[in-house]
Amino acid sequence: MSSKTDDTDQRTGPRHVAIIMDGNGRWAQGQGKPRLFGHHAGVKRVKEIVRASPDHGVKYLTVFAFSTENWKRTQAEVSGLMKLFRRYIASEARDLLAEGVRVRFIGDRLQLDAKLRRVMDEIELLTSGNDRVHLTVALNYGGRDELGRATKRLAREVAEGRLSPDAVDETTLARFLDTCFLPDPDLVIRTSGEARISNFLLWQSAYAEYEFVNTLWPDFDATEFARVLAGYGKRERRFGAVPA
Ligand code: IPE
Ligand code: IPE
Ligand code: MG
């Protein structure tokens, strides 16, 4: 495993992988089970992918757990998911700490239940000294919502005279995003066969590679993860330039 993680590293694997974990509901329904059964199975997969990440040089893993649009689901599904997140974060804290995982959240927390927010804050603090792999969980996250909140904060800085409008450029705006501590994703994977981004990391994925796989998230295992990462290594990223 390479210990180099700077931007100039000529690695073939992605440094930051972001995953839209989709297909839990269909996975459960295919077995005649309630949708929450699929969410339980899906949450368990996260651990396997987090554990596999350092083996492939993936330093940053970002997973989409709940979108700002997911509130449109039934109250039973939403509250079941929130309870699942709270229990899972609390029960995994010790293992994540021991395995060198630094956990952080992106999204609008203020709308989340106080008990859930508490376990989120606790695990962020608990794992803040870790650096082996950075797991970011997008919870109540939407790309447009994030840009709206960032713009509001930026506008406040301008209004209060701390920031000149002339100084505002893309680097400035990026500092106000939830993801200010993260490099841009190199690879975005979406499971379940849907080929859309559903409001995930809109700004950050400007030059990401995308991989859409048919597997439903609860079936997405470390072997398939390795296969997708190997495919990424064969791509040529040009960033607008003509290759030499
Ligand atoms: C993804 O699975 C998990 C969340 C959005 C919380 P879905 O619940 O969207 O599963 P499908 O797409 O209905 O199968
Ligand atoms: C995207 O999946 C959100 C998460 C995986 C958390 P959705 O299932 O909510 O997306 P749509 O509704 O199919 O676009
Ligand atoms: Mg879905």
Side-chain angles (χ1 to χ4, degrees), residues 78-163:
V78 170
S79 62
L81 275 165
M82 294 301 155
K83 200 162 147 189
L84 176 63
F85 295 145
R86 178 163 52 83
R87 289 199 178 155
Y88 189 74
I89 294 164
S91 70
E92 290 305 311
R94 195 186 303 206
D95 281 4
L96 290 164
L97 177 66
E99 291 174 23
V101 184
R102 178 163 189 182
V103 183
R104 278 176 287 200
F105 297 90
I106 55 172
D108 187 0
R109 308 181 184 211
L110 297 179
Q111 288 178 40
L112 299 171
D113 165 85
K115 276 193 278 184
L116 174 56
R117 284 201 324 252
R118 191 173 325 122
V119 293
M120 289 163 68
D121 292 342
E122 280 168 6
I123 200 168
E124 282 186 331
L125 187 65
L126 183 74
T127 63
S128 61
N130 280 348
D131 185 43
R132 187 162 173 261
V133 49
H134 294 245
L135 171 66
T136 303
V137 182
L139 217 168
N140 193 26
Y141 175 86
R144 288 184 170 183
D145 177 74
E146 176 191 37
L147 283 160
R149 287 184 288 104
T151 307
K152 192 186 287 181
R153 287 204 303 276
L154 191 152
R156 198 168 286 139
E157 294 284 297
V158 171
E160 292 172 4
R162 285 193 294 273
L163 181 65

Coordinates of all heavy atoms in Angstrom, one line a residue, residues 78-163:
V78 N -39.2 6.8 7.0 CA -38.3 7.8 7.4 C -37.9 7.6 8.9 O -36.7 7.6 9.2 CB -38.9 9.2 7.2 CG1 -38.1 10.3 7.9 CG2 -39.1 9.6 5.7
S79 N -38.9 7.4 9.7 CA -38.5 7.2 11.1 C -37.7 5.9 11.4 O -36.8 5.9 12.2 CB -39.7 7.3 12.1 OG -40.7 6.3 11.8
G80 N -38.1 4.9 10.6 CA -37.3 3.6 10.7 C -35.8 3.9 10.3 O -34.9 3.4 10.9
L81 N -35.6 4.7 9.2 CA -34.3 5.0 8.8 C -33.5 5.8 9.8 O -32.3 5.5 10.1 CB -34.3 5.7 7.5 CG -34.4 4.9 6.2 CD1 -34.8 5.8 5.0 CD2 -33.1 4.2 5.9
M82 N -34.2 6.8 10.4 CA -33.5 7.6 11.4 C -33.1 6.8 12.6 O -32.0 7.0 13.2 CB -34.4 8.8 11.8 CG -34.7 9.8 10.7 SD -33.2 10.5 10.1 CE -33.7 11.0 8.4
K83 N -34.0 5.9 13.0 CA -33.6 5.0 14.2 C -32.5 4.1 13.8 O -31.6 3.9 14.6 CB -34.9 4.2 14.5 CG -34.9 3.6 15.8 CD -36.4 3.2 16.1 CE -36.5 2.0 17.0 NZ -37.8 1.5 17.1
L84 N -32.5 3.6 12.6 CA -31.4 2.7 12.1 C -30.1 3.5 12.1 O -29.1 2.9 12.6 CB -31.8 2.2 10.7 CG -30.8 1.4 10.0 CD1 -30.5 0.0 10.7 CD2 -31.3 1.0 8.6
F85 N -30.1 4.7 11.6 CA -28.8 5.5 11.6 C -28.3 5.7 13.0 O -27.1 5.5 13.3 CB -29.1 6.8 10.9 CG -29.4 6.8 9.5 CD1 -30.3 7.7 9.0 CD2 -28.9 5.8 8.6 CE1 -30.7 7.7 7.6 CE2 -29.3 5.8 7.3 CZ -30.2 6.8 6.8
R86 N -29.2 6.0 13.9 CA -28.8 6.3 15.3 C -28.2 5.1 15.9 O -27.1 5.1 16.5 CB -30.0 6.9 16.1 CG -29.6 7.1 17.5 CD -30.7 8.0 18.2 NE -32.1 7.6 18.0 CZ -32.7 6.7 18.8 NH1 -32.0 6.1 19.8 NH2 -33.9 6.4 18.6
R87 N -28.9 4.0 15.8 CA -28.4 2.7 16.4 C -27.1 2.3 15.8 O -26.2 1.8 16.5 CB -29.4 1.6 16.3 CG -30.6 1.9 17.1 CD -31.4 0.6 17.3 NE -32.5 0.9 18.2 CZ -33.6 0.1 18.2 NH1 -33.7 -0.9 17.3 NH2 -34.6 0.4 19.0
Y88 N -27.0 2.4 14.5 CA -25.9 1.9 13.8 C -24.6 2.7 14.1 O -23.6 2.1 14.4 CB -26.1 1.9 12.3 CG -25.0 1.1 11.5 CD1 -24.9 -0.3 11.6 CD2 -24.0 1.8 10.9 CE1 -23.9 -0.9 10.9 CE2 -23.0 1.2 10.2 CZ -23.0 -0.2 10.2 OH -22.0 -0.8 9.6
I89 N -24.8 4.0 14.2 CA -23.6 4.9 14.5 C -23.1 4.6 15.9 O -21.9 4.4 16.1 CB -24.0 6.4 14.3 CG1 -24.3 6.7 12.9 CG2 -22.9 7.3 14.9 CD1 -25.1 8.0 12.7
A90 N -24.1 4.4 16.8 CA -23.7 4.2 18.2 C -23.0 2.8 18.3 O -22.0 2.6 19.0 CB -24.9 4.2 19.1
S91 N -23.6 1.8 17.6 CA -23.0 0.4 17.8 C -21.7 0.3 17.1 O -20.9 -0.6 17.4 CB -24.0 -0.6 17.3 OG -24.2 -0.6 15.9
E92 N -21.4 1.0 16.0 CA -20.2 0.9 15.3 C -19.0 1.8 15.8 O -17.9 1.6 15.3 CB -20.4 1.2 13.8 CG -21.3 0.2 13.1 CD -20.7 -1.2 13.2 OE1 -19.5 -1.4 12.9 OE2 -21.5 -2.1 13.6
A93 N -19.3 2.7 16.7 CA -18.3 3.7 17.0 C -17.0 3.0 17.5 O -15.9 3.5 17.0 CB -18.9 4.6 18.2
R94 N -17.1 2.0 18.3 CA -15.9 1.4 18.8 C -15.0 0.8 17.7 O -13.8 1.0 17.7 CB -16.2 0.4 19.9 CG -15.0 0.0 20.7 CD -15.4 -1.1 21.7 NE -16.6 -0.8 22.5 CZ -16.8 -1.3 23.7 NH1 -16.0 -2.2 24.2 NH2 -17.8 -0.9 24.4
D95 N -15.6 0.0 16.8 CA -14.9 -0.6 15.7 C -14.3 0.4 14.8 O -13.1 0.3 14.4 CB -15.8 -1.5 14.9 CG -16.1 -2.8 15.6 OD1 -15.6 -3.0 16.7 OD2 -16.8 -3.7 15.0
L96 N -15.1 1.5 14.5 CA -14.6 2.5 13.6 C -13.3 3.2 14.2 O -12.3 3.4 13.5 CB -15.7 3.5 13.3 CG -16.8 2.9 12.4 CD1 -18.0 3.9 12.4 CD2 -16.4 2.8 10.9
L97 N -13.4 3.5 15.5 CA -12.3 4.1 16.2 C -11.0 3.2 16.1 O -10.0 3.6 15.7 CB -12.7 4.4 17.6 CG -11.5 5.0 18.5 CD1 -11.2 6.4 18.0 CD2 -11.9 5.0 20.0
A98 N -11.2 1.9 16.4 CA -10.1 1.0 16.4 C -9.5 0.7 15.0 O -8.3 0.5 14.9 CB -10.6 -0.4 17.0
E99 N -10.4 0.9 14.0 CA -9.9 0.6 12.7 C -9.3 1.8 11.9 O -9.0 1.8 10.8 CB -11.0 -0.1 11.8 CG -11.3 -1.5 12.3 CD -12.5 -2.1 11.7 OE1 -12.8 -1.7 10.5 OE2 -13.1 -3.0 12.3
G100 N -9.2 2.9 12.7 CA -8.5 4.1 12.1 C -9.4 4.9 11.2 O -9.0 5.7 10.3
V101 N -10.7 4.7 11.3 CA -11.7 5.4 10.4 C -12.1 6.8 11.1 O -12.5 6.8 12.2 CB -13.0 4.6 10.2 CG1 -13.9 5.3 9.2 CG2 -12.6 3.2 9.7
R102 N -11.9 7.8 10.3 CA -12.4 9.1 10.8 C -13.8 9.4 10.1 O -13.9 9.4 8.9 CB -11.5 10.2 10.3 CG -12.0 11.6 10.8 CD -11.0 12.7 10.7 NE -11.5 13.9 11.4 CZ -10.9 15.0 11.5 NH1 -9.7 15.1 11.0 NH2 -11.5 16.0 12.0
V103 N -14.8 9.5 11.0 CA -16.2 9.7 10.5 C -16.6 11.1 10.5 O -16.4 11.8 11.6 CB -17.1 8.8 11.3 CG1 -18.6 8.9 10.8 CG2 -16.7 7.4 11.4
R104 N -17.2 11.6 9.4 CA -17.8 12.9 9.4 C -19.1 12.9 8.6 O -19.3 12.0 7.9 CB -16.8 14.0 8.8 CG -15.8 14.4 9.8 CD -14.8 15.4 9.2 NE -13.8 14.6 8.4 CZ -12.6 15.1 8.1 NH1 -12.2 16.3 8.5 NH2 -11.8 14.4 7.3
F105 N -19.9 13.9 8.8 CA -21.2 14.0 8.2 C -21.3 15.2 7.3 O -20.8 16.3 7.7 CB -22.3 13.9 9.2 CG -22.4 12.7 10.0 CD1 -21.6 12.5 11.2 CD2 -23.1 11.5 9.5 CE1 -21.6 11.4 11.9 CE2 -23.0 10.4 10.2 CZ -22.3 10.3 11.4
I106 N -22.0 15.1 6.2 CA -22.3 16.3 5.4 C -23.9 16.3 5.3 O -24.5 15.3 5.4 CB -21.6 16.4 4.1 CG1 -21.9 15.1 3.3 CG2 -20.1 16.6 4.2 CD1 -21.4 15.1 1.8
G107 N -24.4 17.5 5.1 CA -25.9 17.6 5.0 C -26.3 18.6 6.0 O -25.5 19.1 6.9
D108 N -27.6 18.9 6.0 CA -28.2 19.8 7.0 C -28.6 19.1 8.2 O -29.6 18.4 8.3 CB -29.4 20.5 6.3 CG -29.9 21.6 7.2 OD1 -29.4 21.8 8.3 OD2 -30.9 22.3 6.8
R109 N -27.8 19.2 9.3 CA -28.1 18.5 10.5 C -29.3 19.1 11.3 O -29.8 18.4 12.2 CB -27.0 18.5 11.5 CG -25.7 18.1 10.9 CD -24.7 18.1 12.0 NE -23.5 17.8 11.3 CZ -22.5 17.1 11.8 NH1 -22.5 16.8 13.1 NH2 -21.5 16.8 11.1
L110 N -29.5 20.4 11.1 CA -30.4 21.1 12.0 C -31.8 20.5 12.0 O -32.6 20.6 12.9 CB -30.4 22.6 11.7 CG -29.1 23.3 11.9 CD1 -29.1 24.7 11.6 CD2 -28.6 23.1 13.4
Q111 N -32.1 19.8 10.8 CA -33.5 19.2 10.7 C -33.5 17.8 11.3 O -34.6 17.2 11.3 CB -33.8 19.1 9.2 CG -34.2 20.5 8.6 CD -34.5 20.3 7.1 OE1 -35.1 19.3 6.7 NE2 -34.0 21.2 6.3
L112 N -32.4 17.3 11.8 CA -32.4 16.0 12.3 C -32.8 16.0 13.8 O -32.6 17.0 14.5 CB -31.1 15.3 12.1 CG -30.6 15.2 10.6 CD1 -29.2 14.7 10.5 CD2 -31.6 14.2 9.9
D113 N -33.3 14.8 14.2 CA -33.7 14.6 15.6 C -32.4 14.8 16.5 O -31.3 14.5 16.2 CB -34.2 13.2 15.7 CG -34.3 12.7 17.0 OD1 -35.4 12.9 17.6 OD2 -33.4 12.0 17.5
A114 N -32.7 15.4 17.7 CA -31.6 15.8 18.6 C -30.8 14.5 19.1 O -29.6 14.6 19.2 CB -32.2 16.5 19.8
K115 N -31.5 13.4 19.2 CA -30.8 12.2 19.7 C -29.8 11.7 18.6 O -28.7 11.2 18.9 CB -31.8 11.1 20.1 CG -32.3 11.2 21.5 CD -33.0 10.0 21.9 CE -34.4 10.0 21.4 NZ -35.3 8.9 21.9
L116 N -30.3 11.8 17.4 CA -29.4 11.4 16.2 C -28.2 12.3 16.1 O -27.1 11.9 16.0 CB -30.2 11.3 14.9 CG -29.4 11.1 13.6 CD1 -28.7 9.8 13.7 CD2 -30.4 11.0 12.4
R117 N -28.5 13.6 16.2 CA -27.4 14.6 16.1 C -26.4 14.4 17.2 O -25.2 14.6 17.0 CB -28.0 16.0 16.3 CG -28.7 16.5 15.0 CD -28.8 18.0 14.9 NE -29.0 18.7 16.1 CZ -30.2 19.3 16.4 NH1 -31.2 19.2 15.6 NH2 -30.3 20.0 17.5
R118 N -26.8 14.0 18.4 CA -25.9 13.7 19.5 C -24.9 12.6 19.1 O -23.7 12.7 19.3 CB -26.6 13.5 20.8 CG -25.6 13.5 21.9 CD -26.3 13.4 23.3 NE -27.6 14.1 23.4 CZ -28.7 13.4 23.7 NH1 -28.7 12.2 24.0 NH2 -29.9 14.1 23.7
V119 N -25.4 11.5 18.6 CA -24.5 10.4 18.3 C -23.6 10.8 17.1 O -22.4 10.3 17.0 CB -25.2 9.0 18.0 CG1 -25.8 8.5 19.3 CG2 -26.2 9.1 16.9
M120 N -24.1 11.6 16.2 CA -23.3 12.1 15.1 C -22.1 12.9 15.6 O -20.9 12.7 15.2 CB -24.1 12.9 14.1 CG -25.1 12.1 13.3 SD -26.4 13.0 12.5 CE -25.5 14.0 11.3
D121 N -22.4 13.8 16.5 CA -21.4 14.7 17.1 C -20.4 13.9 17.9 O -19.2 14.1 17.8 CB -22.0 15.7 18.0 CG -22.8 16.8 17.3 OD1 -22.7 16.9 16.1 OD2 -23.7 17.4 18.0
E122 N -20.9 12.9 18.6 CA -20.0 12.0 19.4 C -19.0 11.3 18.6 O -17.8 11.2 18.9 CB -20.8 11.1 20.3 CG -21.4 11.8 21.5 CD -22.4 11.0 22.3 OE1 -22.7 9.8 21.9 OE2 -23.0 11.5 23.2
I123 N -19.5 10.6 17.5 CA -18.6 9.8 16.7 C -17.6 10.7 15.9 O -16.4 10.3 15.7 CB -19.3 8.8 15.8 CG1 -18.4 7.7 15.4 CG2 -19.9 9.5 14.6 CD1 -19.1 6.5 14.7
E124 N -18.0 11.9 15.5 CA -17.1 12.8 14.9 C -15.9 13.2 15.8 O -14.8 13.2 15.4 CB -17.8 14.1 14.4 CG -18.6 13.8 13.1 CD -19.2 15.1 12.6 OE1 -19.5 16.1 13.3 OE2 -19.4 15.2 11.4
L125 N -16.3 13.4 17.0 CA -15.3 13.8 18.0 C -14.4 12.6 18.4 O -13.2 12.7 18.4 CB -16.0 14.4 19.3 CG -15.1 15.0 20.4 CD1 -14.4 16.2 19.8 CD2 -16.0 15.3 21.6
L126 N -15.0 11.5 18.6 CA -14.3 10.3 19.0 C -13.3 9.9 18.0 O -12.2 9.5 18.3 CB -15.4 9.1 19.2 CG -14.8 7.8 19.6 CD1 -14.5 7.9 21.1 CD2 -15.9 6.7 19.4
T127 N -13.6 10.0 16.7 CA -12.7 9.5 15.7 C -11.9 10.6 15.0 O -11.2 10.4 14.0 CB -13.5 8.8 14.5 OG1 -14.4 9.7 13.9 CG2 -14.3 7.6 15.1
S128 N -11.9 11.8 15.6 CA -11.3 13.0 15.0 C -9.8 12.9 14.9 O -9.1 13.5 14.0 CB -11.6 14.3 15.7 OG -11.2 14.2 17.0
G129 N -9.2 12.0 15.6 CA -7.7 11.8 15.5 C -7.3 10.7 14.5 O -6.1 10.5 14.2
N130 N -8.3 10.0 13.9 CA -8.0 9.0 12.9 C -7.7 9.5 11.6 O -8.2 10.6 11.2 CB -9.2 8.0 12.8 CG -9.2 7.0 14.0 OD1 -8.3 6.9 14.7 ND2 -10.3 6.3 14.1
D131 N -6.8 8.8 10.8 CA -6.5 9.3 9.5 C -6.2 8.1 8.5 O -5.8 8.3 7.4 CB -5.2 10.1 9.6 CG -4.8 10.7 8.3 OD1 -5.6 11.3 7.6 OD2 -3.6 10.7 8.0
R132 N -6.6 6.9 8.9 CA -6.3 5.8 7.9 C -7.3 5.8 6.8 O -6.9 5.7 5.6 CB -6.5 4.5 8.7 CG -6.1 3.3 7.9 CD -5.8 2.0 8.7 NE -5.6 0.9 7.9 CZ -6.5 0.0 7.7 NH1 -7.8 0.1 8.2 NH2 -6.3 -1.1 6.9
V133 N -8.6 6.0 7.1 CA -9.6 6.2 6.0 C -10.6 7.2 6.5 O -11.0 7.2 7.7 CB -10.2 4.8 5.5 CG1 -10.6 4.0 6.6 CG2 -11.3 5.0 4.5
H134 N -11.0 8.0 5.6 CA -12.0 9.1 6.0 C -13.4 8.7 5.4 O -13.6 8.8 4.2 CB -11.5 10.5 5.4 CG -10.3 10.9 6.1 ND1 -10.2 12.1 6.8 CD2 -9.0 10.4 6.1 CE1 -9.0 12.2 7.3 NE2 -8.2 11.2 6.8
L135 N -14.3 8.4 6.3 CA -15.6 8.0 5.9 C -16.6 9.3 6.1 O -16.7 9.8 7.3 CB -16.2 6.9 6.8 CG -17.6 6.5 6.6 CD1 -17.9 6.0 5.2 CD2 -18.1 5.5 7.6
T136 N -17.2 9.7 5.1 CA -18.1 10.8 5.2 C -19.5 10.3 4.8 O -19.7 9.7 3.8 CB -17.7 12.0 4.2 OG1 -16.3 12.4 4.5 CG2 -18.6 13.2 4.3
V137 N -20.4 10.6 5.7 CA -21.8 10.1 5.5 C -22.7 11.3 5.2 O -22.7 12.2 5.9 CB -22.3 9.4 6.8 CG1 -23.7 8.8 6.5 CG2 -21.4 8.2 7.2
A138 N -23.3 11.2 4.0 CA -24.2 12.3 3.6 C -25.6 12.0 4.1 O -26.3 11.0 3.7 CB -24.2 12.4 2.1
L139 N -26.0 12.7 5.1 CA -27.3 12.5 5.8 C -28.1 13.7 5.9 O -27.7 14.7 6.4 CB -26.9 12.0 7.2 CG -27.7 10.9 7.9 CD1 -27.1 10.4 9.1 CD2 -29.1 11.4 8.2
N140 N -29.3 13.7 5.3 CA -30.1 14.9 5.0 C -29.2 15.8 4.1 O -29.1 17.0 4.4 CB -30.6 15.6 6.2 CG -31.7 16.6 5.9 OD1 -32.3 16.5 4.9 ND2 -31.8 17.6 6.7
Y141 N -28.7 15.2 3.1 CA -27.8 15.9 2.2 C -28.5 16.1 0.8 O -29.1 15.2 0.3 CB -26.5 15.2 2.0 CG -25.6 15.9 0.9 CD1 -24.8 16.9 1.3 CD2 -25.7 15.5 -0.4 CE1 -24.1 17.6 0.3 CE2 -25.0 16.2 -1.4 CZ -24.2 17.2 -1.0 OH -23.5 17.9 -2.0
G142 N -28.4 17.3 0.2 CA -28.8 17.6 -1.1 C -27.8 18.6 -1.7 O -27.4 19.5 -1.0
G143 N -27.3 18.4 -2.9 CA -26.3 19.3 -3.5 C -26.9 20.7 -3.6 O -26.1 21.6 -3.3
R144 N -28.1 20.8 -4.0 CA -28.7 22.2 -4.1 C -28.9 22.8 -2.8 O -28.6 24.0 -2.6 CB -30.0 22.2 -4.9 CG -29.7 21.9 -6.4 CD -31.0 21.9 -7.2 NE -30.7 21.9 -8.6 CZ -31.6 22.0 -9.6 NH1 -32.9 22.1 -9.2 NH2 -31.3 22.0 -10.8
D145 N -29.3 22.0 -1.8 CA -29.5 22.6 -0.5 C -28.1 23.0 0.1 O -28.0 24.1 0.7 CB -30.1 21.5 0.4 CG -30.2 21.9 1.9 OD1 -31.1 22.7 2.1 OD2 -29.4 21.5 2.7
E146 N -27.1 22.2 -0.2 CA -25.8 22.6 0.3 C -25.3 23.9 -0.3 O -24.8 24.8 0.4 CB -24.8 21.5 -0.1 CG -23.3 21.8 0.3 CD -22.4 20.8 -0.4 OE1 -22.6 20.3 -1.5 OE2 -21.4 20.4 0.3
L147 N -25.5 24.1 -1.6 CA -25.1 25.3 -2.3 C -25.9 26.5 -1.8 O -25.4 27.6 -1.6 CB -25.3 25.1 -3.8 CG -24.2 24.3 -4.5 CD1 -24.6 23.8 -5.8 CD2 -22.9 25.2 -4.6
G148 N -27.2 26.3 -1.5 CA -28.0 27.3 -0.9 C -27.5 27.8 0.5 O -27.4 29.0 0.7
R149 N -27.2 26.8 1.3 CA -26.7 27.1 2.7 C -25.3 27.8 2.6 O -25.0 28.7 3.3 CB -26.6 25.8 3.5 CG -28.0 25.3 4.0 CD -27.9 24.1 4.9 NE -27.5 22.9 4.2 CZ -26.4 22.3 4.3 NH1 -25.4 22.9 5.1 NH2 -26.1 21.2 3.7
A150 N -24.5 27.3 1.7 CA -23.2 27.9 1.5 C -23.3 29.3 1.1 O -22.6 30.2 1.6 CB -22.3 27.1 0.5
T151 N -24.2 29.6 0.1 CA -24.3 30.9 -0.4 C -24.8 31.9 0.6 O -24.4 33.0 0.7 CB -25.3 30.9 -1.6 OG1 -24.8 29.9 -2.6 CG2 -25.4 32.2 -2.3
K152 N -25.7 31.4 1.5 CA -26.3 32.2 2.6 C -25.1 32.6 3.5 O -25.0 33.8 3.9 CB -27.3 31.4 3.3 CG -28.1 32.3 4.3 CD -29.1 31.4 5.1 CE -30.2 30.9 4.3 NZ -31.2 30.1 5.2
R153 N -24.3 31.7 3.9 CA -23.2 32.0 4.8 C -22.2 33.0 4.1 O -21.6 33.9 4.7 CB -22.4 30.7 5.2 CG -23.2 29.9 6.2 CD -22.3 29.0 7.1 NE -21.5 28.2 6.3 CZ -21.9 27.0 5.8 NH1 -23.1 26.5 6.1 NH2 -21.1 26.2 5.1
L154 N -21.9 32.7 2.8 CA -21.0 33.6 2.1 C -21.6 35.0 2.0 O -20.8 36.0 2.2 CB -20.8 33.0 0.7 CG -19.7 33.6 -0.2 CD1 -19.2 32.5 -1.1 CD2 -20.1 34.8 -1.0
A155 N -22.8 35.1 1.7 CA -23.5 36.4 1.6 C -23.4 37.2 2.9 O -23.2 38.4 3.0 CB -24.9 36.2 1.2
R156 N -23.5 36.4 4.0 CA -23.4 37.0 5.4 C -22.0 37.6 5.6 O -21.9 38.7 6.1 CB -23.8 36.0 6.4 CG -24.1 36.6 7.8 CD -24.8 35.6 8.7 NE -26.1 35.2 8.3 CZ -26.6 34.0 8.4 NH1 -25.9 33.0 8.7 NH2 -27.9 33.8 8.1
E157 N -21.0 36.9 5.2 CA -19.6 37.4 5.3 C -19.4 38.7 4.5 O -18.8 39.6 5.0 CB -18.6 36.3 4.8 CG -18.6 35.0 5.6 CD -17.9 35.2 6.9 OE1 -16.7 35.5 6.8 OE2 -18.5 35.0 7.9
V158 N -20.0 38.7 3.3 CA -19.9 39.9 2.5 C -20.7 41.1 3.2 O -20.1 42.2 3.3 CB -20.5 39.6 1.1 CG1 -20.6 40.9 0.3 CG2 -19.6 38.6 0.3
A159 N -21.9 40.8 3.6 CA -22.7 41.8 4.2 C -22.1 42.4 5.5 O -22.2 43.6 5.7 CB -24.1 41.3 4.5
E160 N -21.4 41.6 6.2 CA -20.7 42.0 7.4 C -19.3 42.6 7.2 O -18.6 42.8 8.1 CB -20.8 40.9 8.5 CG -22.2 40.6 8.9 CD -22.3 39.4 9.8 OE1 -21.3 38.8 10.1 OE2 -23.5 39.0 10.1
G161 N -18.9 42.7 5.9 CA -17.7 43.3 5.5 C -16.4 42.5 5.7 O -15.3 43.0 5.7
R162 N -16.6 41.2 6.0 CA -15.4 40.3 6.2 C -14.9 39.7 4.8 O -13.8 39.1 4.8 CB -15.8 39.2 7.1 CG -15.9 39.7 8.6 CD -15.9 38.5 9.5 NE -17.1 37.7 9.4 CZ -18.2 38.0 10.0 NH1 -18.3 39.0 10.9 NH2 -19.3 37.2 9.8
L163 N -15.7 39.8 3.8 CA -15.3 39.3 2.5 C -15.7 40.2 1.4 O -16.8 40.7 1.4 CB -16.0 37.9 2.3 CG -15.8 37.1 1.1 CD1 -14.3 36.6 1.0 CD2 -16.7 35.9 1.0

